[in-house]
């Protein structure tokens, strides 16, 4: 690959000086992107919009004047980034929270996608006059929700476990069937038998699920029984196992995306050694993948070409958000007796992020007619409706009485393992509005095997008495044995939400009521 010298219009080989410049630019972009995380968290906007903006600013219509139109390279890098993002999401998924939501989430990821594709494609064909193949591609591309976009907005809202579990599992599962649909619709030649396509999707999902679970189980067993020479090797080994699951699933003609998500979920629930370091490493890789992917997508778009596609994109987005998504949620979740408030929130929480934009590069690589217009339509739809849906999700959750006491629930708990002692050290930060304020230490009613050993208040630390009253702003150090570590955290979160009477009033540790 050669670097083109823009001013003189001729090509020069890549030198060390050019490499230094490239590294400087990349580091500055990362620093700006990291600073932008703070802006996005305070404004309620998903960070993807900030990163896309950085890419657009660097592009040919921006101050950087970088001309980039390699859709194939974007697709390859996007797939690699999605593997890392799905791995990070799977590692952070708690099986006990997602297990009750699996049937509903699976229905949304399969039947819900089919309903969404059908409704959106019909609207694209009749309302903006796309050919059926192009309309089906658009319908499939925008039917995939994005976990990163959803949870960057909902992170501070305590929702019922069924809502968060369903949304998280749906986002992890629906990438696989959508990718298969987009590739099938983008391949040259007519699709003669729809049932053959359904069978292919089912087979690929079964293969991917089997390989993902098998690789995750074998990897977790190996990491628990093989002592690595350095603790820093464990995070690398975990990510390598996750990527292996993707590669094995794809090579076996299964769904690699489903394989990597399930393998990571198995690893994340296996109580591996040095887990906090592994989780932090995966989280950092996930951020880098998101930043790089969004900036690259911003570079690929040409803003001055979007004008004619803004109105059609708004029309498709309106049908998607107001008809297709709510219809799929109602049809899929009503049999599970999900309350209408939760259905309403999940209908509005179907955010589209980087996944649809990356999938929109598939028809470009395959040479589908009007593929550039498809990419522009998807890009505009994702940006506009993320701007509309993102900031309004917290408001809607409160209006539906699903997001009350948000500050009280935001109890910061970090855990560090004491492996040789078979215990854990929990660091607990009490926020301003927490109902733990005014509770005595003995009123926490910690499980046997867990105890508050230190309190840090106003920069000074002391060993608390049973009658010590906890205050907002305090930081606690809690020591718990391995068997009661999860129970101790649940109890702390319950008191943070419900005060000293938590449990008796029915307040659960996960933010739900019994």
């Amino acid at each position: 690959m050669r670097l083109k010298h823009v001013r003189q219009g001729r090509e020069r080989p890549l030198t060390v000086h050019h490499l230094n410049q490239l590294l400087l630019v990349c580091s500055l972009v990362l620093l700006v992107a990291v600073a932008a995380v703070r802006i996005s968290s305070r404004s309620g906007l998903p960070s993807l919009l900030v990163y896309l903006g950085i890419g657009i600013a660097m592009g040919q219509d921006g101050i950087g004047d970088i001309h980039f139109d390699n859709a194939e390279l974007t697709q390859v890098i996007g797939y690699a980034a999605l593997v890392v993002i799905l791995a990070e999401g799977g590692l952070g998924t708690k099986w006990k929270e997602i297990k009750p939501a699996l049937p509903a989430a699976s229905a949304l990821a399969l039947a819900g996608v089919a309903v969404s594709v059908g409704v959106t494609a019909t609207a694209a064909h009749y309302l903006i006059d796309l050919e059926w193949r192009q309309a089906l591609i658009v319908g499939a591309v925008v039917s995939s929700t994005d976990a990163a976009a959803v949870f960057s907005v909902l992170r501070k809202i305590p929702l019922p476990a069924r809502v968060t579990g369903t949304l998280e599992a749906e986002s992890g599962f629906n990438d696989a069937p959508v990718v298969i649909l987009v590739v099938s619709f983008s391949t040259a030649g007519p699709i003669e038998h729809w049932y053959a396509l359904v069978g292919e999707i089912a087979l690929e999902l079964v293969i991917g699920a089997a390989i993902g679970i098998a690789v995750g189980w074998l990897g977790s067993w190996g990491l628990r029984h093989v002592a690595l020479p350095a603790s820093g090797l464990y995070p690398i080994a975990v990510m390598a196992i996750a990527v292996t699951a993707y590669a094995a699933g794809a090579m076996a003609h299964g769904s690699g995306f489903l394989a990597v998500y399930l393998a990571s979920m198995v690893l994340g629930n296996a109580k591996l050694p040095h887990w906090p370091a592994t989780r932090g490493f995966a989280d950092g890789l996930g951020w880098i993948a998101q930043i790089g992917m969004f900036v690259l997508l911003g570079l690929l778009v040409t803003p001055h070409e979007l004008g004619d596609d803004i109105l059609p994109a708004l029309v498709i987005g309106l049908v998607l958000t107001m008809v297709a998504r709510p219809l799929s949620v109602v049809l899929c979740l009503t049999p599970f007796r999900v309350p209408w408030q939760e259905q309403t929130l999940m209908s509005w929480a179907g955010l589209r992020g980087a996944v649809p934009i990356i999938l929109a590069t598939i028809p470009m690589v395959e040479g589908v007619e009007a593929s550039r217009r498809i990419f522009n339509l998807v890009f505009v739809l994702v940006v506009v409706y993320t701007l509309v849906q993102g900031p309004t999700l917290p408001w809607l959750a409160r209006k539906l009485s699903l997001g009350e006491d948000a500050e009280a629930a935001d109890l910061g708990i970090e855990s560090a393992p004491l492996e040789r002692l078979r215990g854990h050290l929990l660091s607990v930060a009490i926020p301003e509005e927490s109902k733990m304020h005014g509770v005595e230490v003995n009123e926490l009613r910690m499980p046997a095997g867990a105890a508050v050993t230190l309190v840090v208040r106003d920069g000074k630390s002391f060993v608390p008495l049973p009658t010590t009253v906890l205050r907002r702003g305090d930081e606690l150090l809690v020591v718990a044995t391995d068997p009661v570590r999860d129970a101790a955290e649940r109890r702390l979160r319950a008191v943070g939400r419900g005060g000293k009477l938590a449990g008796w009033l029915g307040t659960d540790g996960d933010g739900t009521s019994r």
Side-chain angles (χ1 to χ4, degrees):
M1 184 176 181
R2 292 180 292 182
L3 185 70
K4 181 176 290 187
H5 198 291
V6 177
R7 290 185 179 178
Q8 297 182 8
R10 65 177 186 270
E11 295 181 357
R12 293 181 176 179
L14 183 64
T15 65
V16 174
H17 176 67
H18 292 140
L19 179 61
N20 292 337
Q21 290 179 328
L22 181 62
L23 290 175
L24 176 61
V25 171
C26 290
S27 61
L28 289 176
V29 169
L30 281 175
L31 288 174
V32 172
V34 170
V37 175
R38 180 64 176 173
I39 298 174
S40 65
S41 64
R42 293 180 66 89
S43 64
L45 296 176
S47 56
L48 74 91
L49 295 181
V50 181
Y51 306 145
L52 283 173
I54 294 174
I56 293 173
M58 295 170 59
Q60 57 181 323
D61 287 349
I63 58 177
D65 195 28
I66 298 176
H67 293 256
F68 179 80
D69 59 358
N70 194 329
E72 187 172 1
L73 177 61
T74 303
Q75 179 184 332
V76 171
I77 296 178
Y79 271 37
L82 281 178
V83 170
V84 175
I85 293 172
L86 284 172
E88 190 273 332
L91 291 173
T93 299
K94 295 182 179 179
W95 172 247
K96 63 181 180 182
E97 294 180 0
I98 203 175
K99 182 180 178 180
L102 277 179
S106 300
L108 274 178
L110 296 175
V113 164
V115 172
S116 182
V117 171
V119 173
T120 307
T122 302
H125 177 70
Y126 288 107
L127 297 181
I128 66 173
D129 199 29
L130 286 180
E131 297 290 338
W132 270 116
R133 180 177 292 275
Q134 300 165 6
L136 286 170
I137 292 174
V138 170
V141 164
V142 299
S143 294
S144 178
T145 58
D146 188 88
V150 171
F151 289 99
S152 66
V153 177
L154 297 181
R155 188 177 296 130
K156 293 185 178 181
I157 306 174
L159 296 173
R162 177 167 52 187
V163 174
T164 56
T166 302
L167 289 173
E168 185 172 351
E170 180 202 7
S171 299
F173 293 161
N174 66 12
D175 289 343
V178 167
V179 169
I180 297 171
L181 286 175
V182 175
V183 172
S184 299
F185 294 150
S186 300
T187 303
I191 301 174
E192 297 179 355
H193 305 294
W194 63 268
Y195 51 85
L197 180 60
V198 173
E200 180 183 350
I201 292 175
L203 180 61
E204 290 196 22
L205 292 178
V206 169
I207 294 174
I211 291 178
I213 294 173
V215 171
W217 185 85
L218 289 173
S220 61
W221 183 88
L223 289 175
R224 288 196 305 267
H225 291 83
V226 176
L228 297 178
S231 60
L233 293 175
Y234 283 91
I236 299 175
V238 168
M239 293 305 296
I241 293 170
V243 175
T244 299
Y246 170 81
M251 293 179 66
H253 302 288
S255 173
F257 291 116
L258 183 60
V260 67
Y261 183 76
L262 292 179
S264 301
M265 188 165 62
V266 172
L267 290 167
N269 289 272
K271 295 184 178 181
L272 300 178
H274 304 286
W275 179 244
T278 300
R279 191 72 187 90
F281 180 78
D283 191 44
L285 281 184
W287 277 109
I288 292 176
Q290 288 188 57
I291 292 170
M293 179 172 57
F294 294 147
V295 170
L296 193 62
L297 290 171
L299 280 173
L300 186 62
V301 73
T302 306
H304 72 263
E305 297 179 354
L306 300 177
D308 294 337
D309 297 316
I310 292 178
L311 184 58
L314 294 178
V315 172
I316 296 175
L318 188 64
V319 173
L320 176 66
T321 55
M322 303 305 294
V323 181
R325 173 68 180 182
L327 182 61
S328 63
V329 169
V330 170
L331 292 178
C332 294
L333 299 187
T334 299
F336 297 99
R337 298 181 180 180
V338 177
W340 70 267
Q341 295 94 333
E342 296 181 10
Q343 290 190 30
T344 301
L345 183 65
M346 284 189 274
S347 297
W348 193 245
L351 291 179
R352 272 71 191 171
V355 176
I357 305 177
I358 290 174
L359 295 181
T361 63
I362 295 177
M364 296 175 67
V365 174
E366 296 292 336
V368 175
E369 183 180 357
S371 59
R372 187 71 196 191
R373 188 190 183 198
I374 293 174
F375 179 85
N376 291 339
L377 288 170
V378 173
F379 187 89
V380 173
L381 186 154
V382 168
V383 171
V384 172
Y385 283 92
T386 300
L387 280 170
V388 173
Q389 291 176 276
T392 57
L393 273 174
W395 172 84
L396 181 61
R398 289 190 294 270
K399 288 297 181 181
L400 295 172
S401 300
L402 296 175
E404 297 179 352
D405 298 328
E407 293 296 331
D410 190 21
L411 189 68
I413 299 181
E414 296 183 2
S415 175
L418 305 173
E419 294 178 7
R420 294 185 179 180
L421 302 179
R422 297 182 179 275
H424 293 264
L425 183 64
L426 306 180
S427 175
V428 183
I430 303 178
E432 289 295 321
E433 301 299 325
S434 173
K435 291 186 179 180
M436 193 177 287
H437 174 76
V439 176
E440 294 183 2
V441 170
N442 62 345
E443 292 174 330
L444 292 175
R445 293 188 288 121
M446 300 292 290
V452 180
T453 59
L454 196 69
V455 175
V456 180
R457 179 178 297 167
D458 298 328
K460 298 180 180 179
S461 59
F462 60 92
V463 177
L465 299 173
T467 56
T468 298
V469 178
L470 302 177
R471 302 295 182 190
R472 59 177 61 93
D474 285 354
E475 294 186 19
L476 316 180
L477 291 183
V478 179
V479 175
T481 58
D482 190 65
V484 302
R485 180 249 179 271
D486 292 339
E489 181 173 343
R490 285 196 300 271
R491 179 59 193 164
L492 290 168
R493 293 192 184 279
V495 176
R497 290 185 173 93
K500 65 180 69 178
L501 298 181
W504 289 327
L505 295 179
T507 305
D508 202 342
D510 58 5
T512 60
S513 297
R514 296 191 298 271

